[in-house]
Amino acid sequence: MDLKFVGKCSDGGVIEHTKFYQKLQNETLNLPENDDTDENLNFTFLADDAFALHNHVMKPYPGSNISHEERIFNYRLSRGRNVVENTFGLLASRFRVLHTAIHMSPDKIKLVVLAICTLHNFLRRTSTSYASNITFDKEDTNTHEIITNGDWRNEAVNILEIQPITQRNSPANAKYNRNNYKQFYNGRGKVDWQEEMLQKGKA
């Protein structure tokens, strides 16, 4: 994990200078093969507009003038990203060192963040009080809308928006993979409520 970059580098561009991103580009992250899934879809990391579309980095279709099928894709992607947001919110609410700037050298900050992630995983497996049913956002099982915000949102936890990087032309295989997910979400992988969510302006 690379955690050494400082504020002068745009947030969205930090990842491009990490060993993780180099391995992502070189296809050496040892991600599962496509045929490990029933639909032969590639494994991806969820992202927003701050990141470049990549073979293994999935981001929304940009702009407002997009097709119905693309809006469905964006909605489904946002649902997945909400899970990630809840995880980061829980981390920040439990480990208060993340509330402010950490006044340590980058090498020590790296160890702090790694320790937090390790403790988080351990506590999720072993503690009944670390997180409960009210910790995370609660969804109505009928309407599939968020009806109760997770407890972490009631605390002074500010998750900063990622600054966008300079947009470049996405590689053809990345667009192909996103299109495959779009087709899946509008076909065999569709859920009953996604059309209603679009009518409500959720995507």
Side-chain angles (χ1 to χ4, degrees):
M1 181 179 291
D2 287 271
L3 303 167
K4 61 187 179 181
F5 286 91
V6 294
K8 66 180 180 180
C9 184
S10 66
D11 296 332
V14 168
I15 192 173
E16 296 188 356
H17 300 281
T18 63
K19 294 178 182 178
F20 166 83
Y21 190 77
Q22 293 172 9
K23 290 185 176 183
L24 187 69
Q25 291 284 78
N26 298 330
E27 301 285 347
T28 56
L29 273 181
N30 295 320
L31 296 175
E33 298 295 330
N34 290 18
D35 55 15
D36 285 348
T37 69
D38 292 338
E39 301 296 328
N40 199 38
L41 298 170
N42 68 316
F43 285 75
T44 65
F45 297 93
L46 304 186
D48 59 18
D49 286 330
F51 296 92
L53 183 66
H54 180 273
N55 192 27
H56 295 292
V57 177
M58 199 63 62
K59 60 180 289 185
Y61 287 95
S64 57
N65 188 26
I66 58 177
S67 70
H68 180 82
E69 290 76 15
E70 290 168 345
R71 290 179 61 206
I72 290 290
F73 171 88
N74 286 357
Y75 166 69
R76 296 290 296 276
L77 185 69
S78 70
R79 283 181 61 85
R81 287 178 48 216
N82 187 63
V83 176
V84 177
E85 186 181 55
N86 272 266
T87 301
F88 278 107
L90 173 63
L91 283 171
S93 67
R94 295 296 187 265
F95 300 94
R96 300 306 178 102
V97 68
L98 299 176
H99 280 213
T100 59
I102 305 176
H103 299 291
M104 296 180 181
S105 66
D107 287 339
K108 289 184 177 179
I109 292 175
K110 175 179 178 179
L111 295 176
V112 169
V113 175
L114 289 172
I116 287 173
C117 293
T118 301
L119 287 170
H120 167 79
N121 291 337
F122 173 76
L123 291 170
R124 286 289 284 151
R125 290 194 302 267
T126 62
S127 173
T128 57
S129 59
Y130 177 68
S132 66
N133 291 335
I134 63 174
T135 300
F136 305 108
D137 295 342
K138 185 175 181 180
E139 183 179 283
D140 187 300
T141 56
N142 294 317
T143 66
H144 301 282
E145 293 191 74
I146 301 299
I147 56 174
T148 306
N149 286 335
D151 273 359
W152 67 268
R153 294 187 187 273
N154 298 325
E155 302 185 26
V157 180
N158 294 317
I159 300 179
L160 298 178
E161 292 292 330
I162 301 298
Q163 300 172 10
I165 60 175
T166 301
Q167 294 296 315
R168 297 183 296 274
N169 291 330
S170 301
N173 60 335
K175 294 180 179 179
Y176 174 79
N177 288 328
R178 182 167 63 179
N179 185 62
N180 285 341
Y181 272 95
K182 179 189 72 176
Q183 292 178 347
F184 175 69
Y185 291 147
N186 284 276
R188 291 184 60 183
K190 68 180 179 182
V191 292
D192 295 337
W193 63 87
Q194 61 189 32
E195 296 291 341
E196 183 179 354
M197 291 296 104
L198 259 64
Q199 293 175 9
K200 293 180 179 180
K202 301 298 181 180

